[in-house]
Amino acid sequence: PPFDIDGFVAELDKCPSWRFQEQADLYEWIRPLNAMDTALTYFIETYPSILLIPRKSENKSIVEISTGCDHALLKCQNEDVESVPSKLISIPENVTHSLISILRFLSNLLRNATNKSIFNS
């Protein structure tokens, strides 16, 4: 990993919801945003099946995957439909937890932020 992603995620987990009173100025969040971007890029490059959306594909179909109580509609190449569940299983649980934590925090931050135009990830 490019930095201590687990430690970073542990810090993000301390804020499961937006607990600050004022809106965040994204200029003050550039370093954490860059860290989130770096972590997400690392996960996508290390575990490309996280996306489950082929980048260059003309023949796509929609597949519904049930993972416990969550349902997801995924775009996959027709020939890859059978391998989707095995691709999901191959992603380590700590990576899934890290992704969920980063995306949850990022979602809360962006919902409560000004200057959103500076964020281009």
Side-chain angles (χ1 to χ4, degrees):
F3 67 99
D4 181 17
I5 294 175
D6 292 333
F8 181 69
V9 168
E11 290 298 316
L12 296 180
D13 283 342
K14 293 178 182 178
C15 300
S17 62
W18 194 254
R19 60 183 189 183
F20 308 104
Q21 290 181 335
E22 58 195 44
Q23 282 197 321
D25 182 351
L26 286 188
Y27 283 111
E28 297 173 6
W29 288 84
I30 290 175
R31 290 187 69 194
L33 286 170
N34 286 341
M36 286 182 240
D37 186 54
T38 300
L40 293 173
T41 300
Y42 170 76
F43 288 138
I44 289 169
E45 289 174 355
T46 306
Y47 305 98
S49 62
I50 286 172
L51 291 179
L52 295 173
I53 301 173
R55 293 183 184 214
K56 295 182 181 178
S57 174
E58 296 176 11
N59 193 10
K60 295 180 183 175
S61 64
I62 302 293
V63 179
E64 186 173 349
I65 300 295
S66 177
T67 56
C69 60
D70 296 330
H71 293 281
L73 291 177
L74 307 170
K75 291 183 179 179
C76 302
Q77 291 181 351
N78 286 332
E79 61 271 12
D80 289 343
V81 170
E82 297 298 322
S83 65
V84 169
S86 63
K87 288 181 181 178
L88 285 174
I89 292 170
S90 70
I91 300 169
E93 191 172 323
N94 68 320
V95 171
T96 304
H97 171 77
S98 294
L99 283 168
I100 291 169
S101 296
I102 292 169
L103 293 174
R104 180 180 297 131
F105 186 88
L106 186 56
S107 172
N108 286 331
L109 176 61
L110 292 175
R111 264 189 257 129
N112 294 285
T114 59
N115 300 329
K116 294 175 189 170
S117 61
I118 67 165
F119 184 66
N120 60 4
S121 286

